[in-house]
């Protein structure tokens, strides 16, 4: 029996997505939305109850007291499945970090084309933090040594990954005591795979213990290294005006969409697209110029640094092709749907793969090499421009929204206190006074099994009403950008009174865009500085903060959740739990429950899967209020605030001068 397909309105809250889904249906073309409708998720696999690590199976554990052929219990099977997923996520982020370190090394040696060290101050600060001499040395000399140090963290066998030293001191000691300080980024991933081979680690708690060690090696290792080097090479983000949604594509221009994750190629394509000879070439082909935009985290990388618009998030990659306006979609690694190639066959769009790690059958491969970065970027652009003449019918949805991304750790520090007294003090004070009730990091992917962008928008808006400051990365930030929540004061009428005062005083949006998914490492360093500033406890688990990934789908998201938990955060995922179903075996460990209770006991953080958004909001606020109470902070009371800021100024303006004075200063005896 054919399964029911959702209407475009049921599939997405985004009008441009809805428009493209109507178009796809008219053309008889499928997308991830329709494929999700047509394909029922396997309930046994999705609950983590299927073991296929050897060929005696696959074994499906669906009854009480049942085991696999080897005797593996449901606990062992679920824990093994989970750690394997986390290891793939950690490997993806960290391999990205490794490539960034290789690029830094090549730049320092003068072997590349087009790259420069853009943030010398960050390079020097980081190097000095690892006791690399910086005085009387050129940026290239310092970068060379820092690159060596970072490269060595991946293959290191003993000791600790050096970047974990940037966690709060108390947290580092806890990891040491529990035995989860990562020794080397790669070593922990390999050990996870060894432990989960048939017949090795068969104690669920012990397996999950290693999952934590490996994930810390991602968040505080590979991902942090990726973020550090991206900032050094391409500049530490600061607020910049950008736009998001499919309406950023331009009918009269050659549209090139960069999609994937690594900024190394996309930054060079940005540079090449602004070169006069390339623009001339595009004009000679009959276009007005070259219009570059991004999808997924590559979009975030170039959006927050260069203001290059984002055409959309994960579920919009196919929709960009459906517009008929894209000459080339240039992809590197991660979150790229194989379906792009078949879909593009119906249009003139060319899918160009660029990484030696990622080819897609039927796509054009133009291998990227940082040693010839500009040359290759120009080749790719020429290829796209040559394709302009093959355009047929174009339909670009007329939806685009402005946003201000670029809130790096460094910029938040600066914006709160200026150049001479940069500090997190005002943020901590705002949380302590209750103007800001707490902080929520809303991150992660889209998933076609839930209504596209809905959970992001709904949860974000509800938490803002409750005076929760929101920081976002990845596809979440693009979702909320499209809702207009990342633009200066545009969203402030939907914000609680205390948070509104803070946003108006500092001049920030209520939702801060902090970058791509690897930049979740930035959120960790922000929380560390919040702790070091004082007044909100001496470790991350005491800060009234929660991490949320309501539309998650990737293994990377699981790694992120695990390292945030290990850092002391309460992490809530939406959708389905990969360790659901162990309650069919009443006397077992209940892996999901262990991730809540067992991990909380050890790390002060916990990881939970809550599909219902209202329950998620409730759990978030309860956690924030509990942390406030534990710190002895005043109970959250929105009625205490809202009497300053812009609303108050407007009220005062209406009063005659004398009354205005009195209202501000009180009655003054003359
Ligand atoms: Ni993160 Fe970025 Fe998006 Fe999810 Fe994919 S793009 S790294 S994994 S889908 S947020």
């Amino acid at each position: 029996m054919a399964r029911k397909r959702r209407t475009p309105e049921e599939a997405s809250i985004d009008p441009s997505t809805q428009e493209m889904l109507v178009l796809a249906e008219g053309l008889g073309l499928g997308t991830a939305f329709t494929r999700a409708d047509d394909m029922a998720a396997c309930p046994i696999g999705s609950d983590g109850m299927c073991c296929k690590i050897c060929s005696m199976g696959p074994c499906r554990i669906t009854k009480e007291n049942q085991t696999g052929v080897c005797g593996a219990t449901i606990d062992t099977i679920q824990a093994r499945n989970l750690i394997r997923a986390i290891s793939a996520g950690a490997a993806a982020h960290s391999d990205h970090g490794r490539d960034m370190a290789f690029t830094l090394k090549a730049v320092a040696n003068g072997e590349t084309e087009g790259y420069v060290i853009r943030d010398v101050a960050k390079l020097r600060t980081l190097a000095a933090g690892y006791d690399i001499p910086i005085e009387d040395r050129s940026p290239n000399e310092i970068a060379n040594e820092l690159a060596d140090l970072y490269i060595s963290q991946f293959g290191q066998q003993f000791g600790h990954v050096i970047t974990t030293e940037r966690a709060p001191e108390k947290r580092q000691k806890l990891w040491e005591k529990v035995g989860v300080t990562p020794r080397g980024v790669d070593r922990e991933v390999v050990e996870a795979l060894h432990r989960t081979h048939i017949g090795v680690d068969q104690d669920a708690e012990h397996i999950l213990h290693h999952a934590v060690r490996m994930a810390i090696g991602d968040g505080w290792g590979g991902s942090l290294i990726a973020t550090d080097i991206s900032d050094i090479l391409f500049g530490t983000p600061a607020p910049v005006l950008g736009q998001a949604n499919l309406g950023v594509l331009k009918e009269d221009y050659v549209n090139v969409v960069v999609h994937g994750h690594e900024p190394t190629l996309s930054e060079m394509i940005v540079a090449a697209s602004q070169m006069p000879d390339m623009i001339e070439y595009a004009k000679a082909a009959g276009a007005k110029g070259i219009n570059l935009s991004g999808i997924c985290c590559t979009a975030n990388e170039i959006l927050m640094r260069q203001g290059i618009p984002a055409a959309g998030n994960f579920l919009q990659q196919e929709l960009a092709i459906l517009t008929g306006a894209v000459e080339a979609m240039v992809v590197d690694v991660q979150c790229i749907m194989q379906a792009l190639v078949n879909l593009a066959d119906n249009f003139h769009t060319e899918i160009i793969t660029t990484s030696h790690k990622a080819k897609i059958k039927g796509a054009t491969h133009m291998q990227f090499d940082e040693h010839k970065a500009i040359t290759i970027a120009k080749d790719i652009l020429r290829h796209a421009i040559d394709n302009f003449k093959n355009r047929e019918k174009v339909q670009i949805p007329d939806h685009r929204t402005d946003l201000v991304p670029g809130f790096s750790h460094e910029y938040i520090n600066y914006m709160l206190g200026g150049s001479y007294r940069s500090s997190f003090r005002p943020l901590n004070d705002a949380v302590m006074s209750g103007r800001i009730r707490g902080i929520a990091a809303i991150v992660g992917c889209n998933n076609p099994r839930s209504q596209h962008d809905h959970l992001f928008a709904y949860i974000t808006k509800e938490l803002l009403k409750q005076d929760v400051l929101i920081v976002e990365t990845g596809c979440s930030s693009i979702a909320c950008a499209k809702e207009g929540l990342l633009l200066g004061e545009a969203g402030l009428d939907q914000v609680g009174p205390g948070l509104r005062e803070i946003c108006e005083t500092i001049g920030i949006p209520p939702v801060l865009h902090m970058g791509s998914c690897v930049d979740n490492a930035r959120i960790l360093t922000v929380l560390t500085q919040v702790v070091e500033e004082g007044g909100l406890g001496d470790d991350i688990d005491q800060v009234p903060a929660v991490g949320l990934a309501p539309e998650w789908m990737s293994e990377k998201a699981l790694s992120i959740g695990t390292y945030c938990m290990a850092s002391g955060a309460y992490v809530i995922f939406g959708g389905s739990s990969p360790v659901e179903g162990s309650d069919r075996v009443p006397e077992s460990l209940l892996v999901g429950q262990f991730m809540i209770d067992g991990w909380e006991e050890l790390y002060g953080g916990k990881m939970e899967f809550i599909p219902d958004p209202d329950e998620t909001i409730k759990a978030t606020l309860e956690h924030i209020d509990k942390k406030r109470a534990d710190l002895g902070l005043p109970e959250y009371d929105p009625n205490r605030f809202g009497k300053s800021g812009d609303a108050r100024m407007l009220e005062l303006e209406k009063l005659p001068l004398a009354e205005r004075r009195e209202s501000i200063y009180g009655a003054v005896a003359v």
Side-chain angles (χ1 to χ4, degrees):
M1 196 182 75
R3 289 167 51 83
K4 187 184 167 295
R5 285 206 177 154
R6 291 166 292 176
T7 63
E9 289 74 22
E10 287 166 338
S12 174
I13 62 163
D14 168 38
S16 75
T17 299
Q18 293 167 0
E19 183 182 329
M20 287 296 103
L21 292 180
V22 172
L23 178 73
E25 199 183 347
L27 295 171
L29 297 172
T31 61
F33 294 92
T34 53
R35 290 190 296 274
D37 286 343
D38 296 347
M39 166 85 69
C42 165
I44 299 169
S46 82
D47 289 357
M49 300 190 297
C50 173
C51 181
K52 50 186 179 67
I53 63 170
C54 80
S55 72
M56 293 192 288
C59 300
R60 293 165 301 160
I61 312 294
T62 55
K63 299 189 194 82
E64 242 181 273
N65 296 325
Q66 203 180 11
T67 66
V69 174
C70 70
T73 63
I74 181 78
D75 288 336
T76 299
I77 290 170
Q78 288 194 328
R80 278 199 303 224
N81 288 340
L82 181 67
I83 195 176
R84 282 203 164 190
I86 297 170
S87 66
H93 282 149
S94 297
D95 209 28
H96 170 176
R98 177 200 330 271
D99 282 341
M100 295 304 302
F102 288 160
T103 305
L104 182 66
K105 178 81 184 167
V107 174
N109 281 336
E111 295 165 1
T112 56
E113 194 187 84
Y115 301 95
V116 289
I117 291 174
R118 286 237 182 96
D119 194 338
V120 176
K122 181 151 187 172
L123 169 72
R124 289 170 64 90
T125 309
L126 285 171
Y130 304 122
D131 295 328
I132 294 174
I134 56 170
E135 292 315 323
D136 303 321
R137 294 182 94 191
S138 72
N140 278 5
E141 278 174 291
I142 301 169
N144 214 317
E145 205 169 327
L146 183 67
D148 284 339
L149 180 71
Y150 276 179
I151 290 167
S152 71
Q153 301 311 304
F154 294 91
Q156 185 171 281
Q157 303 303 326
F158 306 107
H160 64 277
V161 171
I162 198 158
T163 38
T164 58
E165 290 175 9
R166 280 153 69 186
E169 221 178 298
K170 197 170 164 198
R171 184 74 15 192
Q172 292 177 50
K173 288 201 178 117
L174 173 72
W175 290 339
E176 209 46 61
K177 191 169 130 233
V178 181
V180 290
T181 304
R183 295 155 293 190
V185 176
D186 296 354
R187 179 169 180 185
E188 310 311 349
V189 176
V190 171
E191 188 171 316
L193 295 176
H194 179 189
R195 282 183 188 226
T196 54
H197 185 274
I198 161 78
V200 187
D201 200 355
Q202 289 158 104
D203 173 337
E205 212 176 312
H206 194 237
I207 294 168
L208 294 178
H209 183 80
H210 186 69
V212 171
R213 189 177 209 175
M214 176 177 59
I216 297 170
D218 170 3
W220 291 94
S223 284
L224 192 51
I225 288 173
T227 294
D228 282 350
I229 299 176
S230 301
D231 286 355
I232 290 170
L233 288 179
F234 307 120
T236 301
V240 54
L241 185 64
Q243 282 194 322
N245 217 342
L246 292 168
V248 304
L249 298 172
K250 291 185 184 162
E251 184 149 4
D252 311 335
Y253 286 70
V254 172
N255 287 299
V256 178
V257 177
V258 284
H259 169 25
H261 282 78
E262 296 181 338
T264 30
L265 169 64
S266 52
E267 284 280 348
M268 290 304 111
I269 294 188
V270 173
S273 71
Q274 291 159 2
M275 291 179 176
D277 56 333
M278 284 291 107
I279 296 171
E280 272 318 306
Y281 193 71
K283 286 187 174 159
K288 283 193 179 154
I290 305 165
N291 181 44
L292 202 61
S293 59
I295 295 264
C296 278
C297 282
T298 288
N300 285 314
E301 297 280 358
I302 53 176
L303 171 68
M304 67 180 166
R305 292 200 177 86
Q306 318 285 354
I308 302 292
N313 48 10
F314 176 69
L315 281 178
Q316 290 179 289
Q317 55 187 289
E318 292 173 285
L319 312 183
I321 293 173
L322 279 159
T323 63
V326 176
E327 273 56 56
M329 185 172 276
V330 185
V331 304
D332 51 36
V333 289
Q334 302 170 22
C335 301
I336 297 143
M337 292 189 198
Q338 184 166 359
L340 292 177
V341 173
N342 274 347
L343 181 67
D345 274 350
N346 297 284
F347 301 87
H348 76 305
T349 307
E350 195 154 356
I351 307 294
I352 301 177
T353 52
T354 57
S355 164
H356 69 275
K357 294 173 202 161
K359 288 192 175 181
I360 305 178
K361 199 149 185 60
T364 305
H365 190 71
M366 297 179 78
Q367 192 146 315
F368 180 63
D369 173 359
E370 62 261 48
H371 300 92
K372 295 178 281 176
I374 284 286
T375 308
I376 295 169
K378 284 174 122 180
D379 276 352
I380 290 173
L381 285 181
R382 262 185 234 108
H383 211 80
I385 294 165
D386 291 342
N387 197 17
F388 183 69
K389 62 176 182 303
N390 298 322
R391 263 221 204 153
E392 289 173 20
K393 198 169 173 312
V394 168
Q395 181 179 334
I396 301 172
D398 191 19
H399 295 283
R400 67 197 75 73
T401 313
D402 288 346
L403 75 144
V404 178
F407 291 90
S408 55
H409 172 178
E410 290 80 353
Y411 186 79
I412 296 175
N413 203 18
Y414 161 76
M415 84 186 179
L416 291 170
S419 293
Y420 297 106
R421 32 184 199 98
S422 58
S423 151
F424 268 54
R425 195 68 255 152
L427 178 67
N428 282 31
D429 286 345
V431 175
M432 289 167 73
S433 69
R435 274 195 172 79
I436 293 178
R437 186 173 182 174
I439 302 166
I442 305 185
V443 305
C445 334
N446 291 138
N447 188 328
R449 301 242 170 246
S450 64
Q451 192 185 25
H452 172 228
D453 289 348
H454 163 66
L455 294 173
F456 288 132
Y458 180 67
I459 293 174
T460 300
K461 285 179 185 171
E462 291 303 310
L463 290 178
L464 288 177
K465 285 184 205 156
Q466 299 290 330
D467 289 301
V468 176
L469 177 71
I470 311 281
V471 297
E472 293 190 337
T473 59
C475 291
S476 160
S477 55
I478 300 177
C480 288
K482 290 185 281 176
E483 288 287 301
L485 294 167
L486 272 63
L487 182 67
E489 300 185 350
L492 288 186
D493 54 337
Q494 305 169 45
V495 167
L499 176 60
R500 181 175 181 149
E501 282 181 4
I502 296 296
C503 291
E504 284 172 351
T505 308
I506 307 174
I508 52 168
V511 181
L512 302 181
H513 180 301
M514 292 192 73
S516 64
C517 253
V518 288
D519 291 332
N520 284 319
R522 289 189 203 280
I523 300 177
L524 297 178
T525 59
V526 162
L527 288 170
T528 302
Q529 198 172 342
V530 163
V531 165
E532 282 166 0
E533 189 61 48
L536 292 173
D538 56 3
D539 197 354
I540 294 173
D541 62 335
Q542 295 173 45
V543 179
V546 177
L548 305 145
E551 297 186 25
W552 79 281
M553 60 84 201
S554 76
E555 292 166 313
K556 290 179 289 176
L558 291 173
S559 181
I560 293 165
T562 310
Y563 70 66
C564 288
M565 179 291 298
S567 306
Y570 176 24
V571 181
I572 306 175
F573 286 85
S576 62
S577 161
V579 293
E580 190 71 51
S582 59
D583 51 354
R584 290 168 206 224
V585 195
E587 63 286 6
S588 77
L589 172 73
L590 298 180
V591 171
Q593 204 53 45
F594 174 79
M595 287 156 68
I596 301 169
D597 301 332
W599 275 351
E600 184 166 32
E601 208 176 296
L602 277 174
Y603 304 108
K606 54 184 171 177
M607 201 156 127
E608 199 169 355
F609 293 82
I610 307 180
D612 179 60
D614 291 311
E615 288 295 315
T616 297
I617 293 161
K618 192 164 155 257
T620 300
L621 294 173
E622 275 172 12
H623 183 82
I624 284 175
D625 289 346
K626 177 171 182 309
K627 293 295 167 186
R628 293 189 65 84
D630 290 351
L631 286 166
L633 299 179
E635 216 172 291
Y636 167 69
D637 176 9
N639 298 319
R640 291 170 50 220
F641 304 109
K643 296 182 184 63
S644 64
D646 291 3
R648 170 84 170 135
M649 294 306 289
L650 291 171
E651 217 174 83
L652 286 173
E653 260 176 33
K654 290 187 203 133
L655 299 177
L657 191 60
E659 269 179 60
R660 203 185 303 169
R661 274 209 191 112
E662 193 177 321
S663 180
I664 297 171
Y665 301 110
V668 182
V670 184

